């Protein structure tokens, strides 16, 4: 009896690439002036943000360093004036070869959640949206990235955060994402937990805890 061949490993950046392509398709479908969940940004602004994030390291610093933010804003405004289809194509092509983000492990680490969240930023700003049912590899990679980055992501949370995903590798298991008391508990699909941690619109997620704690979690600055 011969054994079945082992399944090929899922590339570290499989979800990042799939979400990138899906976002680009959606940007072209909605056009440059559609709303997003990013406050004050249209789809054109979001595309420009993604382009400078991967292609202009001098300007990308302003995304995380407030003193550089005015320069980032000027570069983003200039970039947004480009032809929209060309902008989207730049997003689809990804970073230049010299960038560390061009390496699959780095792409997976830095872009898995980035492109998932921004894909949903466009989807959920449109009428009639419904949550997606994520396949197992997507849930697994999102959950892995969230667990790895939750200490940094939730560093400003005034409350502790526990999560019980209903899918993914830890389905049904309560996992601490941030220490502290009092605690809010997030129960639902991995994708909705990710979006809640990023302060985005969710559906089908339970946020359990006292009223003040829940309000504090939902409103703290990301």
């Amino acid at each position: 009896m011969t054994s079945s061949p082992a399944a090929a490993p899922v590339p570290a950046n499989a979800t990042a690439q799939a979400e990138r392509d899906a976002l680009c398709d959606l940007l072209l479908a909605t056009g440059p002036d559609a709303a997003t969940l990013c406050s004050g940004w249209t789809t054109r602004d979001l595309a420009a943000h993604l382009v400078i994030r991967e292609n202009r390291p001098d300007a990308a610093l302003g995304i995380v360093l407030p003193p550089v933010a005015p320069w980032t804003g000027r570069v983003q405004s200039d970039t947004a004036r480009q032809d929209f289809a060309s902008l989207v194509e730049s997003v689809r092509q990804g970073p230049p070869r010299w960038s560390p983000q061009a390496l699959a492990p780095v792409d997976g680490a830095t872009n898995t959640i980035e492109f998932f969240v921004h894909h949903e930023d466009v989807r959920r700003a449109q009428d009639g949206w419904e949550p997606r049912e994520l396949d197992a590899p997507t849930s697994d990679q999102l959950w892995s990235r969230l667990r790895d980055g939750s200490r940094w992501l939730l560093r400003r949370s005034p409350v502790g955060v526990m999560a019980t995903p209903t899918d993914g590798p830890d389905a049904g298991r309560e996992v601490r994402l941030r220490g502290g008391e009092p605690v809010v508990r997030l129960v639902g699909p991995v994708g909705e937990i990710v979006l809640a941690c990023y302060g985005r619109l969710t559906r089908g997620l339970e946020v359990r805890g006292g009223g003040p704690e829940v309000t504090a979690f939902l409103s703290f600055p990301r």
Side-chain angles (χ1 to χ4, degrees):
M1 179 182 295
T2 58
S3 58
S4 300
V10 177
N13 63 339
T15 295
Q17 290 296 304
E19 293 297 315
R20 180 192 295 272
D21 284 338
L23 171 59
C24 289
D25 291 344
L26 184 57
L27 288 172
L28 293 176
T30 56
D33 301 313
T36 75
L37 296 186
C38 300
S39 180
W41 280 6
T42 64
T43 41
R44 179 184 291 279
D45 299 317
L46 177 55
H49 158 76
L50 293 170
V51 169
I52 66 169
R53 178 179 172 272
E54 294 189 313
N55 293 273
R56 290 290 303 268
D58 60 316
L61 284 173
I63 297 172
V64 293
L65 297 177
V68 192
W71 169 243
T72 300
R74 288 195 294 273
V75 174
Q76 182 166 320
S77 294
D78 289 343
T79 303
R81 296 190 184 99
Q82 297 178 21
D83 172 72
F84 185 65
S86 298
L87 263 182
V88 175
E89 183 59 25
S90 294
V91 176
R92 195 185 298 275
Q93 291 300 316
R97 291 185 178 181
W98 51 259
S99 171
Q101 289 187 76
L103 301 172
V106 181
D107 183 28
T110 60
N111 288 327
T112 296
I113 287 182
E114 176 82 8
F115 279 92
F116 172 76
V117 170
H118 284 321
H119 184 194
E120 293 300 318
D121 281 337
V122 180
R123 287 188 71 253
R124 298 184 183 215
Q126 314 310 314
D127 293 336
W129 71 271
E130 292 290 340
R132 289 185 287 157
E133 184 172 343
L134 303 179
D135 60 29
T138 299
S139 293
D140 291 357
Q141 291 196 349
L142 285 171
W143 183 244
S144 175
R145 300 306 175 192
L146 180 64
R147 291 196 63 174
D148 288 347
S150 62
R151 178 176 294 185
W152 169 259
L153 171 63
L154 300 174
R155 68 195 183 281
R156 295 179 180 174
S157 174
V159 297
V161 182
M162 304 290 291
T164 305
T166 54
D167 59 343
D170 284 326
R173 182 183 308 160
E174 189 171 60
V175 176
R176 183 177 295 277
L177 297 181
R178 173 173 169 76
E181 296 290 341
V183 171
V184 296
R185 288 177 163 80
L186 312 179
V187 182
V190 165
E192 302 305 309
I193 293 173
V194 168
L195 291 165
C197 289
Y198 276 79
R200 291 334 200 253
L201 177 67
T202 63
R203 185 176 294 172
L205 179 73
E206 294 182 59
V207 184
R208 300 174 180 172
E213 293 82 55
V214 170
T215 298
F217 170 74
L218 294 176
S219 62
F220 83 89
R222 269 59 173 182

